[in-house]
Amino acid sequence: GSSWSQLVVSGSYDHTIRVWDIGFNQEGDEIRTEDRCLSVMNHGDPVQALLVLPPVAGSYGYQPKKNASKYDNLPLLVSAGGTVLKIWNPLTGTCLGTFPTKHAKTITALCLLDLPPEDTEEDYQLTDAQSGKRSLHHRKRHILTGGLDGLVRIHSATNQDIISGSLPFLHGTQLSEPISSLSVSQDMSRIAIGTTTGIVIVHQRRRLVTEEQRQQQQTKHKIEPRHGTYAYFMRGAHEKSHDPDD
């Protein structure tokens, strides 16, 4: 079998998705052209976008769990056509699920977004006891979809979601222009949205604040009232003089 890192996927307006092997055989010679297409899948609509989900195992310092998913060691493929997403096992050509979305018009862009849990920073910055380094192995997998209706929608896309047959909708935003492309920065902190009118919009994700940082900010605000407020004007009014002559 071929290593998934030597595979290329392509989608077409003829509704098909093809998986190609671009590797070499054991003798180091190129594989014959007629042998390069490993599988053909049919989305059922013109394919507008494809997204590869790398295996969860081996990502972000992942550690196997007792309730590990059967898909954790597999690369998965997401195809978008019409207003429907389909998820495939590209190694076998098997469709793992069909997922309708709330888009009113054609989905034109897909993007992978791996975010840390929203509770506290300590939950996803874990320290490796052997190396002493922090790793991000509690991140949650999301799929972003963008369409000609100007909608950007964020769906939960963990392997458990895929097995259950649902990609829960988490958040969305409406733009005034049809969307043609999506991209995420390497640190997952910024999302760039391209529109059909040539405008690019960048969204910045808010930074997580730990409880300690929150307390420090509150203490700072108590000590230093904001300039121009009544508290700033009245600061020191109730303080007792330390002058021994008073």
Side-chain angles (χ1 to χ4, degrees):
S2 301
S3 168
W4 78 272
S5 61
Q6 295 181 326
L7 303 181
V8 170
V9 294
S10 62
S12 171
Y13 281 0
D14 65 3
H15 301 192
T16 63
I17 304 160
R18 296 175 183 265
V19 180
W20 307 86
D21 189 341
I22 60 171
F24 296 86
N25 59 24
Q26 293 181 351
E27 286 74 26
D29 300 326
E30 290 189 14
I31 301 174
R32 296 193 306 274
T33 303
E34 59 270 21
D35 296 334
R36 284 179 175 259
C37 185
L38 302 182
S39 61
V40 180
M41 298 157 278
N42 193 316
H43 181 88
D45 282 294
V47 179
Q48 300 285 344
L50 295 172
L51 175 66
V52 174
L53 306 180
V56 173
S59 300
Y60 312 118
Y62 171 85
Q63 299 295 330
K65 301 177 181 179
K66 293 182 180 180
N67 59 345
S69 165
K70 59 184 178 181
Y71 299 146
D72 283 358
N73 293 299
L74 292 176
L76 301 180
L77 176 66
V78 185
S79 61
T83 59
V84 173
L85 299 180
K86 290 190 177 183
I87 297 183
W88 310 82
N89 179 345
L91 303 181
T92 62
T94 304
C95 182
L96 305 179
T98 300
F99 306 93
T101 67
K102 297 296 184 181
H103 284 276
K105 295 184 179 181
T106 301
I107 298 172
T108 55
L110 294 173
C111 194
L112 175 63
L113 182 66
D114 284 333
L115 289 179
E118 295 180 354
D119 33 14
T120 63
E121 194 176 22
E122 288 79 12
D123 287 336
Y124 68 94
Q125 288 194 348
L126 302 180
T127 302
D128 188 320
Q130 294 181 350
S131 64
K133 297 181 179 179
R134 289 185 170 186
S135 57
L136 306 179
H137 50 281
H138 274 200
R139 291 201 176 202
K140 293 182 179 179
R141 178 158 284 181
H142 303 76
I143 293 175
L144 272 69
T145 58
L148 294 178
D149 53 3
L151 275 175
V152 177
R153 297 176 67 86
I154 301 177
H155 309 265
S156 176
T158 65
N159 286 340
Q160 288 71 25
D161 292 329
I162 296 171
I163 293 173
S164 68
S166 173
L167 299 181
F169 168 70
L170 301 178
H171 181 65
T173 185
Q174 176 72 61
L175 303 183
S176 59
E177 306 290 343
I179 295 169
S180 59
S181 60
L182 294 171
S183 184
V184 176
S185 62
Q186 187 173 6
D187 62 357
M188 305 289 172
S189 65
R190 295 180 179 87
I191 300 173
I193 306 170
T195 67
T196 58
T197 58
I199 298 175
V200 177
I201 303 169
V202 179
H203 282 232
Q204 171 78 42
R205 181 172 62 87
R206 65 178 180 84
R207 296 182 61 184
L208 293 178
V209 179
T210 64
E211 185 62 31
E212 181 181 355
Q213 290 173 332
R214 188 178 295 109
Q215 291 177 357
Q216 290 177 351
Q217 290 178 357
Q218 292 175 349
T219 302
K220 181 179 179 181
H221 288 160
K222 290 180 180 178
I223 297 175
E224 302 175 6
R226 189 162 53 91
H227 180 74
T229 62
Y230 179 76
Y232 182 85
F233 177 74
M234 294 297 295
R235 69 193 189 284
H238 303 291
E239 292 291 332
K240 294 182 179 181
S241 173
H242 299 289
D243 191 336
D245 296 333
D246 290 346

